[in-house]
Amino acid sequence: MKILHDVHNHSLLSSCCYDPVATVENFVNKARELGHKVFGISNHLWDEKVPGASGWYQKQMINYGLEARNSVPKDTGDVKVLIGTESEYLGATDTLGILAETGARFDYVLIPHTHTHMKNFVINEMPEVKEYRGLLREKVAAAFPDLSEPLVKKMVNSLSNNDVEALCGVSLEAVMKYHADFMVTSFHQLMNNPEFIKLAKTVPTSVAHPFHPCGFGSETRCAIMNSVSDEDYLSCFEEAKKLGVYIEVNTGAINQKADNYANEAGIRMLKLAKQAGCKFTFGTDSHSLAGLDNIRQGDVISEVCGITESDLADYVK
């Protein structure tokens, strides 16, 4: 099936986009070239009515997320242009980054649960890592008694999660299990979050790049995803189907290999989502104008997974 929509991408209005030509107007024109029927722009957003935004998200609030609407060209040809947004879900604290009443101001909303590179925000550091940071603070304070407690804490916290994992000798296997368990738990939490349930009833809502743990290389990511059992995947996706929540096929997160995706963990995950009866949306998750071309991988992915037009969300048809 040829995919004729892309509802996950980030223009220059997202703080993570650095492509100088990634304007809304250029995105829409590119969508016309690609033959899209539906094209949605989904810049990042944190609802200022929700406490707990990170410093990065504090720069991307409601009006910022809606700004793309003012940049859509008058002539979009045959392309239906939607203005959506990608907000956030913090599994560590069961916090949804957008209220349903705010979601209603957009054409659709994407909610990720796997921005696991955002440690102590989306996901807590492993207990071993947290404990070792405490030991490091004690050692630094003892070695430099003239330093204030806030300064000692700042110095130790400047070490990345990966740095401390290496220092305390936590194994890759333990890291992988921790992230796999977290993703299953956070998905269930998300499906049962009262505000998320309201959101899904208010506006078309998709889970962005489900079960794709951010911050890992392809091989480790696949190993983490493959460690999630069929039963856990099906249990999660059955909850999504019951809520009418869509599952995103993120072409930027799934890697094509010589075996035509046969050993790609994301394909197994998507097949189980289809088995559970979920509906799908496709997106490139592109942060550049050229990256929008990656939607053509979606054509192959749909064939491999057996996803047909009847399996798509109504709003992207």
Side-chain angles (χ1 to χ4, degrees):
M1 173 175 65
K2 185 174 183 179
I3 304 303
L4 300 176
H5 71 272
D6 180 355
V7 292
H8 188 170
N9 49 75
H10 300 279
S11 75
L12 273 173
L13 294 174
S14 275
S15 294
C16 53
C17 176
Y18 305 105
D19 181 2
V21 296
T23 64
V24 171
E25 182 176 8
N26 284 343
F27 267 27
V28 172
N29 290 334
K30 183 69 173 180
R32 293 173 68 173
E33 292 177 17
L34 290 167
H36 284 313
K37 291 182 178 179
V38 176
F39 184 76
I41 296 169
S42 56
N43 291 314
H44 290 287
L45 175 144
W46 185 279
D47 190 334
E48 53 257 49
K49 291 173 283 186
V50 179
S54 66
W56 187 75
Y57 268 119
Q58 286 172 0
K59 303 172 185 177
Q60 301 172 101
M61 297 291 187
I62 298 173
N63 288 335
Y64 187 89
L66 289 166
E67 180 61 31
R69 187 166 284 145
N70 299 324
S71 302
V72 176
K74 292 182 179 180
D75 181 13
T76 63
D78 296 327
V79 183
K80 181 180 180 180
V81 177
L82 304 177
I83 302 301
T85 189
E86 180 182 11
S87 189
E88 189 62 80
Y89 177 67
L90 314 183
T93 56
D94 191 22
T95 301
L96 186 68
I98 186 171
L99 298 181
E101 64 186 50
T102 300
R105 300 174 67 181
F106 293 87
D107 296 314
Y108 64 94
V109 175
L110 308 176
I111 302 292
H113 72 115
T114 55
H115 278 155
T116 50
H117 59 301
M118 298 179 176
K119 296 296 189 291
N120 297 320
F121 184 57
V122 168
I123 180 174
N124 288 325
E125 287 185 316
M126 296 178 68
E128 298 94 324
V129 173
K130 182 178 180 180
E131 180 180 1
Y132 197 81
R133 279 195 195 274
L135 293 174
L136 285 176
R137 285 195 293 271
E138 293 176 6
K139 290 181 179 180
V140 172
F144 302 97
D146 294 337
L147 296 180
S148 66
E149 183 178 345
L151 186 55
V152 169
K153 185 177 180 180
K154 182 177 180 180
M155 290 175 65
V156 173
N157 286 349
S158 68
L159 295 172
S160 72
N161 180 78
N162 290 342
D163 291 335
V164 182
E165 283 180 355
L167 286 169
C168 68
V170 64
S171 70
L172 177 59
E173 290 73 18
V175 171
M176 290 166 58
K177 184 178 187 307
Y178 183 75
H179 283 77
D181 290 346
F182 168 80
M183 290 192 300
V184 173
T185 298
S186 67
F187 195 102
H188 282 303
Q189 286 180 174
L190 178 60
M191 295 301 119
N192 288 279
N193 179 284
E195 195 64 32
F196 181 77
I197 293 172
K198 287 170 60 178
L199 178 72
K201 292 178 179 178
T202 302
V203 63
T205 304
S206 298
V207 179
H209 43 76
F211 294 96
H212 289 267
C214 298
F216 292 94
S218 178
E219 185 175 342
T220 303
R221 173 188 62 78
C222 280
I224 293 171
M225 295 178 70
N226 277 331
S227 71
V228 177
S229 69
D230 286 5
E231 291 75 18
D232 279 335
Y233 274 136
L234 287 170
S235 176
C236 289
F237 292 137
E238 284 164 1
E239 287 189 336
K241 178 184 182 296
K242 184 177 179 180
L243 283 179
V245 171
Y246 307 118
I247 299 302
E248 179 183 86
V249 179
N250 189 303
T251 64
I254 298 178
N255 295 324
Q256 184 177 16
K257 300 180 180 180
D259 54 11
N260 200 29
Y261 298 104
N263 294 315
E264 165 57 52
I267 296 298
R268 168 178 165 254
M269 180 267 297
L270 292 171
K271 286 181 176 179
L272 289 166
K274 177 175 167 59
Q275 182 179 326
C278 292
K279 300 289 186 179
F280 299 90
T281 60
F282 281 69
T284 56
D285 204 354
S286 176
H287 292 63
S288 68
L289 184 64
L292 298 178
D293 288 325
N294 196 39
I295 197 63
R296 293 282 66 85
Q297 283 201 52
D299 303 346
V300 184
I301 293 169
S302 67
E303 296 295 332
V304 173
C305 294
I307 297 173
T308 66
E309 186 171 357
S310 64
D311 297 312
L312 299 180
D314 288 340
Y315 83 95
V316 300
K317 292 182 180 178

